[in-house]
Amino acid sequence: MKVHLFVLIVLDVYLIYVLYAIEQPNLRTNSIYFLENTYNIIILLVLSLSLLNYFYRDNEKSLFLFFGVLCLVFSEVIDIANIYISQSSLLNFLATTLVLGAFYFFYEQSQLSNVSPREDKYYPHLKP
């Protein structure tokens, strides 16, 4: 688990650096810069936590939650590219499609119980 944490932290720091490099020339005030970086850090932290949750629980509910958060993060990265690099209707369409996919995965995970496959095998009476 320590290796997973180390790799996730390195990837998060790298992504924050890349997003900073993209956004920094276009941001005018320190308050907007602070808000953008805070938002990016929070969204990447949620992605890392949902991945660790999936590793820990190893069930379908946590997998759908991870897929939903992954779709949201990719949507936000595409939005940043759309805003700061090149405005394109294709990028806007992809970002919107990913957000809709995220809500689909969030809905699906909300319909599932939080029972891991290990508990399902040893405690069959817990099945919904």
Side-chain angles (χ1 to χ4, degrees), residues 12-96:
D12 284 347
V13 168
Y14 175 72
L15 285 172
I16 292 296
Y17 172 75
V18 168
L19 292 173
Y20 167 76
I22 292 171
E23 294 172 345
Q24 196 270 337
N26 299 313
L27 297 178
R28 291 182 172 72
T29 63
N30 285 337
S31 61
I32 294 174
Y33 163 76
F34 177 74
L35 286 174
E36 284 283 339
N37 278 336
T38 303
Y39 179 74
N40 292 336
I41 289 169
I42 289 172
I43 198 165
L44 289 172
L45 182 65
V46 169
L47 178 66
S48 298
L49 290 176
S50 68
L51 181 62
L52 291 174
N53 180 45
Y54 173 65
F55 287 158
Y56 179 73
R57 298 202 186 273
D58 191 26
N59 62 8
E60 195 174 5
K61 183 177 181 79
S62 59
L63 180 65
F64 279 131
L65 180 65
F66 172 67
F67 283 159
V69 172
L70 189 65
C71 285
L72 276 180
V73 169
F74 281 155
S75 169
E76 291 300 322
V77 170
I78 290 173
D79 275 342
I80 288 172
N82 192 23
I83 293 169
Y84 295 113
I85 297 175
S86 170
Q87 291 185 352
S88 167
S89 59
L90 177 63
L91 290 178
N92 195 16
F93 174 75
L94 284 173
T96 304

Side-chain angles (χ1 to χ4, degrees), residues 68 71-72 96-109:
C71 285
L72 276 180
T96 304
T97 303
L98 284 171
V99 168
L100 291 174
F103 283 114
Y104 167 75
F105 286 123
F106 290 148
Y107 172 76
E108 287 295 323
Q109 73 88 25

